[in-house]
Amino acid sequence: MRRDRVSGQLWAFIGACLAVIVVPGPDLALLLRNAAVAGRSAASATACGIMTGNTILATAAVAGLTALLQASGPLYNGLRLVGAAYLIYLGVRALIDLTRRRPAPAEPQSVPVAPALPGRLAFRQGLLSNLLNPKVAAFYLALFPQFSLPGMPTLAQHTLLAGLFCLLSLIWYVLLIAVLGRVQTWLQRRTVQRSITGASAAALITLGTGLALQG
């Protein structure tokens, strides 16, 4: 009976995680934008940064640090505003890049992607996008208490759930990067690059503005 309950809780947790991971947000918008601008390698570096941020926040949640962050109103709001400003900054930079990359009429529609975004910068963007979003930390804080695994201490439960969430996130990004690799030629088309960059810029600015205006 206990084993069935544990299994049910784990499957419910996996379902909740998948719903959160797959829903588009600033991390996905940034990754797609970097993939369109600089190709699969930049997307991979961005995903590594996002996963590093996820791991740091999961560890902080297990240690109880996210609870302290949310309990401190000024600190939480300060992080929220910094994160919002960073998302808006990324969106504006994407729009600036979009206007600078306007092709001439005689320019070919498909060209090799230039290494315009170094891997180190893409990694840092992914890391900061994840870490500076207090909603991610609040998600860890709100999600873990909703699931209970009978027969396990609280610390062990939260460690297992955090590890499972990070594993599912890793699988998602590996699959996403693999798909981007398959459509690399399509991503190299200038019309596609401009469309993805424009949509991602609008998403980042919208998400950043929404985060800034949160109560």
Side-chain angles (χ1 to χ4, degrees):
M1 186 71 176
R2 176 179 293 180
R3 180 177 298 178
D4 291 341
R5 184 180 175 187
V6 170
S7 176
Q9 287 286 299
L10 283 177
W11 281 113
F13 178 77
I14 290 173
C17 288
L18 291 177
V20 171
I21 292 169
V22 175
V23 170
D27 290 344
L28 181 59
L30 177 63
L31 188 146
L32 292 178
R33 181 260 174 183
N34 288 350
V37 170
R40 183 179 178 181
S41 60
S44 299
T46 305
C48 288
I50 294 170
M51 281 306 306
T52 301
N54 266 331
T55 303
I56 293 173
L57 289 175
T59 303
V62 171
L65 298 180
T66 52
L68 294 177
L69 171 64
Q70 195 172 43
S72 174
L75 183 59
Y76 182 87
N77 286 328
L79 180 61
R80 174 175 59 83
L81 292 176
V82 171
Y86 185 68
L87 292 178
I88 295 173
Y89 163 77
L90 290 175
V92 171
R93 282 296 303 271
L95 289 179
I96 293 174
D97 290 342
L98 185 64
T99 58
R100 287 178 178 175
R101 290 167 179 259
R102 182 174 299 171
E107 195 173 7
Q109 288 297 306
S110 180
V111 296
V113 176
L117 186 66
R120 184 178 301 178
L121 177 57
F123 176 89
R124 186 165 67 244
Q125 287 180 350
L127 176 64
L128 292 177
S129 171
N130 193 269
L131 288 180
L132 291 178
N133 187 354
K135 295 176 71 175
V136 178
F139 158 74
Y140 283 112
L141 181 64
L143 186 64
F144 289 171
Q146 305 303 317
F147 299 90
S148 175
L149 305 179
M152 293 183 64
T154 301
L155 180 60
Q157 289 184 41
H158 289 181
T159 301
L160 174 62
L161 296 179
L164 185 55
F165 180 83
C166 288
L167 177 61
L168 292 172
S169 298
L170 178 61
I171 293 173
W172 163 247
Y173 284 114
V174 168
L175 293 175
L176 186 59
I177 297 300
V179 171
L180 291 175
R182 293 279 186 177
V183 298
Q184 185 66 54
T185 302
W186 178 72
L187 286 175
Q188 288 178 354
R189 298 182 62 86
R190 287 196 180 277
T191 53
V192 175
Q193 289 182 9
R194 290 174 59 80
S195 298
I196 293 178
T197 301
S200 300
L204 289 168
I205 293 173
T206 301
L207 290 167
T209 302
L211 187 60
L213 295 178
Q214 257 191 341

